[in-house]
Amino acid sequence: MSEQEPRELPEPGPPSAPQGRVLAAVAAGGALGALARYGALVLWPGAGGFPWRVFVVNVSGCALIGVLMVLTVERGRIAHPLVRPFLGVGVLGGYTTFSTYAADVSGLLARQEVAVAMAYTAATAVAALAAVWAAAVATRAWLDRGAGSGAGSDARSDVRSDTRSGVRDMGTGRAV
Amino acid sequence: MTWLLVAIGGAVGAPLRYLTDRAVQASQGPGVPYVFPWGTFTANIAGSLLLGVLTGAAVSSPAHALLATGLCGALTTYSTFSYETLRLAETGRAFLAAANVLASLLAGLGAVFVGAELAGGFGV
C-alpha cells in the first residue's frame, strides 16, 4: 500500500498539553461529534434494510481522520497539542461509531436479513478503509505538491517545522 | 431535550474511550512498542456490549439518547479503528491489520449478542 519504511504506529498517547485540558477538549469534541451523528439520523429519513445513514457517517468520518492524522501526527503541519484530542479523538471519534454498526448488523441477523447484514458488514469495513487510505494518500500528495518550488505557498501561522522523532516523514526523509 | 442528552452522552463517552486507550497502553508496560491497537479494540467491544445490554433491556427513549446514541456512540469509534488498521497495513503488518478488522467485527457482534442476552436473562 505504501513504500514507506515500516515504523511504529504514531504515538497514540497524549500530546504535550495538560491532561485536564486534553480531557476537556476530547469531551467537547465528543459532544459535537455525537450531535452531528444524531443530526444525520434525524435529518435523513430512515428506512429498514441497509443502514445507509450510519454507513455514510462512518465512511465520511474515516475520510476526515485520514486528512487530520496526516496533518497532525504524520507531518506535524498542525502542531497545536489540542487539535488532535479535539478533532480526532473527540469530534471524529464521537461522530463515527462502532457500537451502532455492530448492533445494526446484529439486528439485521435477528430479522433474518442475512444477505443485507453481510453486505452491510463488508461494505462498511471496505469503504471505511478505502476512505481513510484515499484521504491520507491524497493529503500526503497535496502536502508534497511542487516540493521544492512553492515553499512559501502553504505557509500558515499554525504551520511549523516539526522534527520530533517519530513525526518526521520517513518516506521522503524531509522534516516537514 | 434529546439533543442535550446525546451531547452529554458524547461528552462522557469520548473521554472514556481516551482514558481506556491510555489505561490499556499503560497496562502493556513501559517501553513496549505500541503495535496492535488494543485500546481502541477494548473501547469498541465494551461499547458494543453496553449497547447490547441497552437494546436487550429496551430502555426508554431518553435513556437511549443519553446512553446508546450518546455514550456508546462516542465510546466506540470507526475512524480511529480505520486509521490504526491503515497504519498497520502501511507499516508492513498486513496480518495484524486483517486481524484487527476481523477480530473487531467478530468480537463487536459477539458483544452485542452477549449484552442483549444478559439484559434478557436478568430481566433488566
Side-chain angles (χ1 to χ4, degrees):
Chain A
M1 197 175 280
S2 162
E3 293 175 6
Q4 289 189 356
E5 290 290 315
R7 59 185 170 110
E8 304 304 319
L9 284 164
E11 282 274 324
S16 50
Q19 187 73 354
R21 295 182 66 190
V22 172
L23 281 174
V26 170
L32 289 175
L35 281 176
R37 173 165 40 80
Y38 179 65
L41 298 178
V42 169
L43 294 176
W44 290 341
F50 196 98
W52 281 108
R53 300 175 299 175
V54 178
F55 175 85
V56 170
V57 163
N58 276 337
V59 173
S60 60
C62 288
L64 290 171
I65 206 162
V67 174
L68 179 75
M69 293 301 278
V70 169
L71 290 177
T72 54
V73 174
E74 281 188 34
R75 299 294 180 91
R77 286 302 184 98
I78 300 175
H80 193 289
L82 290 179
V83 168
R84 189 180 158 212
F86 177 68
L87 290 180
V89 185
V91 174
L92 293 178
Y95 176 63
T96 62
T97 176
F98 192 89
S99 52
T100 307
Y101 164 71
D104 282 346
V105 172
S106 174
L108 287 166
L109 289 175
R111 291 193 300 274
Q112 311 289 324
E113 298 184 55
V114 178
V116 180
M118 305 269 284
Y120 177 57
T121 303
T124 300
V126 170
L129 289 170
V132 72
W133 172 75
V137 166
T139 307
R140 289 171 193 150
W142 181 72
L143 291 177
D144 291 339
R145 76 198 183 285
S149 59
S153 63
D154 59 350
R156 284 163 43 181
S157 61
D158 61 348
V159 170
R160 68 177 190 229
S161 130
D162 194 336
T163 56
R164 283 174 298 161
S165 158
V167 292
R168 285 177 66 129
D169 173 37
M170 303 302 282
T172 62
R174 288 185 303 119
V176 292
Chain B
M1 186 60 189
T2 305
W3 292 83
L4 183 62
L5 291 172
V6 169
I8 293 171
V12 173
L16 267 182
R17 170 165 37 81
Y18 174 75
L19 293 172
T20 300
D21 191 40
R22 300 258 294 135
V24 168
Q25 283 175 55
S27 74
Q28 295 183 334
V32 177
Y34 182 78
V35 179
F36 193 83
W38 284 114
T40 302
F41 179 87
T42 304
N44 277 344
I45 304 315
S48 298
L49 181 72
L50 179 57
L51 185 55
V53 170
L54 294 167
T55 306
V59 295
S60 67
S61 236
H64 191 271
L66 177 73
L67 299 174
T69 310
L71 194 143
C72 288
L75 173 59
T76 63
T77 176
Y78 219 99
S79 49
T80 303
F81 161 70
S82 290
Y83 180 75
E84 288 170 341
T85 303
L86 174 72
R87 290 309 305 164
L88 286 172
E90 287 187 331
T91 51
R93 299 179 174 96
F95 175 77
L96 287 180
N100 188 35
V101 173
L102 286 178
S104 294
L105 295 185
L106 291 175
L109 203 55
V112 168
F113 180 77
V114 168
E117 289 296 307
L118 282 175
F122 288 106
V124 176

